[in-house]
Amino acid sequence: MNDKIKLICPICATRLEQKEKTLVCENNHNFDIARQGYVNLLPVQNKHSLNPGDTKEMLNARRNFLNGGKYMPICQSVTDAIQKYCHAKNPVLVDIGCGEGYYTSAFECECNAQCIGIDISKDGVKMACSRSKSIEWLVATASLIPVDDNSADVVTAMFSLLLQDEYARILKKGGLVVEITVGTNHLKELKQIIYDEVFEQHKHPAECGDKFEELMCEEHSFKMSLKNEELKNLLMMTPHFWRIHKERREKLETLEQLELTANYWVRVLRKK
């Protein structure tokens, strides 16, 4: 475990120390480091199902789609924001909902960051280990992040909820949250095929609360042309996959290509 990365026990919140292939706290709660390199810090009492998080099929689709580079502009928006607003030389960065590790590994490389990737899906974290051996990969819940108080420089949240209190707890004073949230027109062409009626929703990032100040909030859009296999992968990694009727899915499967709009907000918050 990297000396700058300070992990805490998910049961009693005391500091974890590495002893050989195990993380141990002062109350002797211990967590083995898996062969792949990750640590499971999700106690049974914090699980709401047997296998929480994305399935293997969803994770494979996500990996295949992201590896194709279609969402690279979104990733670049985050790395640009970190490089502009974070002044730490080797920032400790906690990526919430890291999934199979695409964004986390990019942040490590582009921002010279010491990264912690956290996801509730054990399968996702296990896959993420193949992205980088120097990232601390953890199975954990975002509502109880196993990172010590005031120890992180940056929290990244890619298409996930803003958990103000927990992010503020782990961030140093002046630390940053860099988040991506969907815009009103995100994947609108796909929604028009999936649903009988697409209701107009004016999407904007949530209120940041009194623990943070907003440094930047920008809306971005770009077009991307997806081939049939890319389209199927994208669908499987979105919530729309579970809502689409059989005949609509069959219609999508006949499309050779579809041009889609990516529309998102990038926002930077600073802890007061």
Side-chain angles (χ1 to χ4, degrees), residues 149-153 168-176 211 213 270-272:
D149 297 0
N150 308 305
S151 63
D153 297 291
R169 179 186 67 78
I170 69 171
L171 281 169
K172 300 172 184 176
K173 184 176 181 180
L176 305 176
K211 293 182 172 67
E213 59 177 327
R270 181 166 61 195
K271 180 181 172 181
K272 294 179 181 178

Side-chain angles (χ1 to χ4, degrees), residues 122-137:
K122 182 179 176 180
D123 288 327
V125 173
K126 191 181 293 187
M127 284 178 65
C129 291
S130 65
R131 293 278 191 191
S132 172
K133 297 300 181 186
S134 54
I135 292 173
E136 198 80 39
W137 300 109

Side-chain angles (χ1 to χ4, degrees), residues 95-251:
D95 186 29
I96 304 297
C98 66
E100 52 71 58
Y102 172 81
Y103 294 111
T104 326
S105 57
F107 302 152
E108 179 189 42
C109 180
E110 297 297 323
C111 304
N112 199 25
Q114 299 174 75
C115 290
I116 306 166
I118 290 176
D119 202 280
I120 201 168
S121 168
K122 182 179 176 180
D123 288 327
V125 173
K126 191 181 293 187
M127 284 178 65
C129 291
S130 65
R131 293 278 191 191
S132 172
K133 297 300 181 186
S134 54
I135 292 173
E136 198 80 39
W137 300 109
L138 307 175
V139 181
T141 173
S143 60
L144 185 63
I145 302 170
V147 174
D148 206 359
D149 297 0
N150 308 305
S151 63
D153 297 291
V154 181
V155 168
T156 49
M158 307 295 294
F159 301 106
S160 59
L161 295 174
L162 177 67
L163 301 176
Q164 301 167 24
D165 292 341
E166 193 66 352
Y167 293 177
R169 179 186 67 78
I170 69 171
L171 281 169
K172 300 172 184 176
K173 184 176 181 180
L176 305 176
V177 176
V178 184
E179 63 167 352
I180 294 290
T181 55
V182 296
T184 301
N185 295 316
H186 189 58
L187 307 181
K188 63 180 182 180
E189 299 87 353
L190 183 61
K191 294 175 189 174
Q192 287 165 357
I193 294 174
I194 293 174
Y195 302 110
D196 292 327
E197 188 175 358
V198 180
F199 298 99
E200 186 72 16
Q201 293 178 301
H202 297 286
K203 295 185 177 181
H204 192 276
E207 292 294 323
C208 65
D210 58 2
K211 293 182 172 67
F212 293 96
E213 59 177 327
E214 188 176 278
L215 300 183
M216 180 266 276
C217 187
E218 295 178 354
E219 187 177 16
H220 294 256
S221 292
F222 62 90
K223 295 286 187 179
M224 53 184 178
S225 183
L226 270 58
K227 296 178 181 178
N228 183 268
E229 191 63 27
E230 294 172 320
L231 190 58
K232 286 191 283 188
N233 284 329
L234 175 63
L235 177 62
M236 186 169 281
M237 61 183 256
T238 70
H240 306 299
F241 177 76
W242 305 106
R243 301 169 188 158
I244 188 171
H245 294 301
K246 181 182 176 182
E247 61 272 17
R248 300 297 176 94
R249 183 182 291 119
E250 289 173 349
K251 180 180 179 180

